Structure formats: C-alpha cells, structure tokens
Amino acid sequence: MNDDDGLALALDVGGTTIKAELVDRAGTVVASEQRPTPQGHRARDAVAEVGRTLLAQRPDAPVVGAGVVVPGLVDREAGIATYSANLGWRDLELVRSLGAEWRLPVRIANDVASGGVAEHRLGAGVGTEDLVFVPIGTGIAASIVSGGHLVTGHRGETAEIGHLAVRTGVRCACGRDGCLEAIASAAAIARRYTGLSGSHVTGAHDVAARLSTDAVARQVWHDAVEALADGLGIVSLLVGPALVVIGGGLSRAGEGLLDPLRVALRQRTPVVHPADVTASALGDRGGVIGAALLARDGWAPES
Ligand SMILES: [Zn+2]
C-alpha cells in the first residue's frame, strides 16, 4: 500500500462521537463527518455508514486504505476490537466486514496508541524517539513509544497507568484502592473538589480557575499533581522517556499543570535523566490523525 498520492479514510471511534475524515498525503482534510457513537455492537454499523458517506463524497482520487481506532483492547492481527468497557462490546469484528463493505484494506488499533503515534510523528514529540503520551480526561491512560516503536502488551494493551496504585483510601471505578485516576483524572479532580468544598463544579477547568483564590482548589490540584508525578515517575524509571506529552481535557490547564508536574517528576527520578513534560500539540484530533497514518503504513517505524 505505497500509493502515497491517494487519500486515507481515518476514523476515531470515541466514547461519545465517531470522527471520520478523508485525508490527503500532506495531512489536509478533504472531507469530514461526525456521528454519535452507539453503544455495543451497533457501533460497527455506525462506523460502516459514516465511512460509506465519506467515500461517496470523495473527489476523483483513489483511497489507499482505512484506519479505524477504537477504545479498549484491540487484536490488530485478527482485526477484532476485543473489549471496551465504556462502549459495551466484546469481540467486535471490524476489519473483514468493513473491508468488504468499503472495498478497501482496513487496519484497526487502539485510540490511545493512535494519539501517541500521532504526537510522535506529527505533534509534540517530533524529534524524539522515546516518549510517553498521557491523555487525562474521565480516566488516565498512556501509550509508550520507545526507540521509535510503539510498545504494546501481549493482548495489544497500552500502558494502563491510571490503575497504578499510588495512594490508599480512595476507591477506583475498577474496584481497587488508590489508583492514580481516582485522584488525578479530570473527573476525579472535579469530584474531589466538590466533595471537600461542598461547591459544585462542572469540571477540572473550574478547579483550575480557582487556584489563585481557593485553598481547597489548591489542595486538590496539588494532590493530583503529586499523584501524577508518582505514576509518571514509575514510568520514567521503567522506560526512561525523554518526553511526557499530556493530552486530554486536563492538558488545557497549560503551565498551571505542566510546570508543577515537571518539578515534581524531577524529584521522583534522581537516578535517570528527567523527562520534559509538555502538552499535546494535536489535541483531540490526535486519534484521527493517527488513524490516517495507520491506514497508510500500519505504523511501521520510519527508517
Ligand atoms: Zn483502578
């Protein structure tokens, strides 16, 4: 599939929205569509439909392939989305049926991995071969690029750092105690602030906006930064990244998050060269940009 002059069909199946784009070789979006993501196996039909709609709009140019990125576990070889707790599917077959319907080669992968590959090749991680991409929103996940290669587990897992146990006495949605994401996800920051202050907030951005005037906001934010540094410190000691790229909703806090996190992470890693910490360059488009790269070359490391 080296027909680089053609278009790529790229789809990012998110928790609430399917983003779909036709992208040319230079990365320019030729056409785009969005749909709500249905729960369960109906998601496949919605993906198929939005792909069909885009392919019908294409200009007079060949489409070289499709990349579809989804949450949860993915068996890339078998072409099956194995499990998503949030979207409620198990063993959702995608590659064979979508390929037959669209008449294209189709590749699938995990969405966090997609964001990491996109940041590495086209975003905040350009110029380094060793980075960790950490989207922080309702949960916390990570994808690790080491020596230019995406690191995945034996069943296709990305790094589930949100469930590193870094505290005690805080129940996580996974059923265990003290997980990083129960303290430091954007959702947890908002929830903990409301619990401690009695004041309702709509999200972590409201807590960030109160940092200069509200001691409870400062405490909750400090707790989150310290917990993140503990989790990222473990990752740094294990794989030694040059760069940590923070994505997801919490990355919009900018230096109010990044600066204290940089300092706290350095304190955790005196025996290794400390990683710099920066914000995602691609924002919530990282997933679909990674899907376009997946369609073109299967994320084969650049030689
Ligand atoms: Zn957990």
Side-chain angles (χ1 to χ4, degrees), residues 101-121:
E101 188 160 333
W102 296 337
R103 299 181 185 198
L104 289 174
V106 176
R107 293 180 171 121
I108 64 170
N110 168 270
D111 55 356
V112 176
S114 187
V117 171
E119 292 291 345
H120 170 228
R121 286 170 56 171

Side-chain angles (χ1 to χ4, degrees), residues 15-38:
T16 56
T17 306
I18 301 171
K19 294 186 204 125
E21 296 181 353
L22 274 175
V23 183
D24 73 11
R25 180 186 172 192
T28 306
V29 179
V30 174
S32 65
E33 290 278 337
Q34 294 202 355
R35 298 284 187 280
T37 309

Side-chain angles (χ1 to χ4, degrees), residues 106-150:
V106 176
R107 293 180 171 121
I108 64 170
N110 168 270
D111 55 356
V112 176
S114 187
V117 171
E119 292 291 345
H120 170 228
R121 286 170 56 171
L122 297 170
V126 168
T128 176
E129 297 296 289
D130 298 276
L131 67 96
V132 180
F133 170 63
V134 185
I136 305 176
T138 54
I140 301 176
S143 67
I144 295 170
V145 174
S146 183
H149 295 259
L150 178 69

Side-chain angles (χ1 to χ4, degrees), residues 6 10 26 45 62-63 71 80 90 102 106 109 114 146-147 155 163 176-177 179 238 240 248 256:
D45 295 336
V63 177
I80 291 169
R90 275 184 192 278
W102 296 337
V106 176
S114 187
S146 183
R155 297 288 304 273
H163 302 282
R176 298 189 70 233
D177 181 49
C179 293
L238 284 173

Side-chain angles (χ1 to χ4, degrees), residues 162-164 171-182:
H163 302 282
L164 286 173
R171 190 60 125 180
C172 178
C174 76
R176 298 189 70 233
D177 181 49
C179 293
L180 174 59
E181 73 176 37

Side-chain angles (χ1 to χ4, degrees), residues 78-285:
I80 291 169
T82 321
Y83 178 61
S84 167
N86 287 347
L87 285 170
W89 66 53
R90 275 184 192 278
D91 295 329
L92 179 65
E93 188 285 317
L94 291 174
V95 162
R96 185 187 50 77
S97 57
L98 293 174
E101 188 160 333
W102 296 337
R103 299 181 185 198
L104 289 174
V106 176
R107 293 180 171 121
I108 64 170
N110 168 270
D111 55 356
V112 176
S114 187
V117 171
E119 292 291 345
H120 170 228
R121 286 170 56 171
L122 297 170
V126 168
T128 176
E129 297 296 289
D130 298 276
L131 67 96
V132 180
F133 170 63
V134 185
I136 305 176
T138 54
I140 301 176
S143 67
I144 295 170
V145 174
S146 183
H149 295 259
L150 178 69
V151 176
T152 55
H154 77 292
R155 297 288 304 273
E157 296 93 338
T158 49
E160 294 286 358
I161 67 165
H163 302 282
L164 286 173
V166 295
R167 294 291 180 274
T168 55
V170 186
R171 190 60 125 180
C172 178
C174 76
R176 298 189 70 233
D177 181 49
C179 293
L180 174 59
E181 73 176 37
I183 303 281
S185 70
I189 289 170
R191 193 170 56 237
R192 293 192 74 232
Y193 176 80
T194 295
L196 287 170
S197 69
S199 172
H200 180 73
V201 288
T202 58
H205 56 277
D206 284 345
V207 181
R210 295 177 189 200
L211 289 175
S212 60
T213 56
D214 183 334
V216 176
R218 278 197 295 279
Q219 184 62 49
V220 168
W221 197 261
H222 175 77
D223 291 348
V225 168
E226 291 294 308
L228 277 172
D230 285 341
L232 293 172
I234 293 167
V235 176
S236 291
L237 293 171
L238 284 173
V239 295
L243 184 66
V244 173
V245 180
I246 304 292
L250 204 63
S251 67
R252 292 189 203 109
E255 288 301 318
L257 173 71
L258 303 176
D259 190 47
L261 184 55
R262 228 173 255 132
V263 172
L265 181 57
R266 207 172 294 136
Q267 291 166 351
R268 267 58 168 196
T269 55
V271 297
V272 296
H273 194 81
D276 193 11
V277 182
T278 190
S280 155
L282 303 173
D284 58 10
R285 291 203 64 241

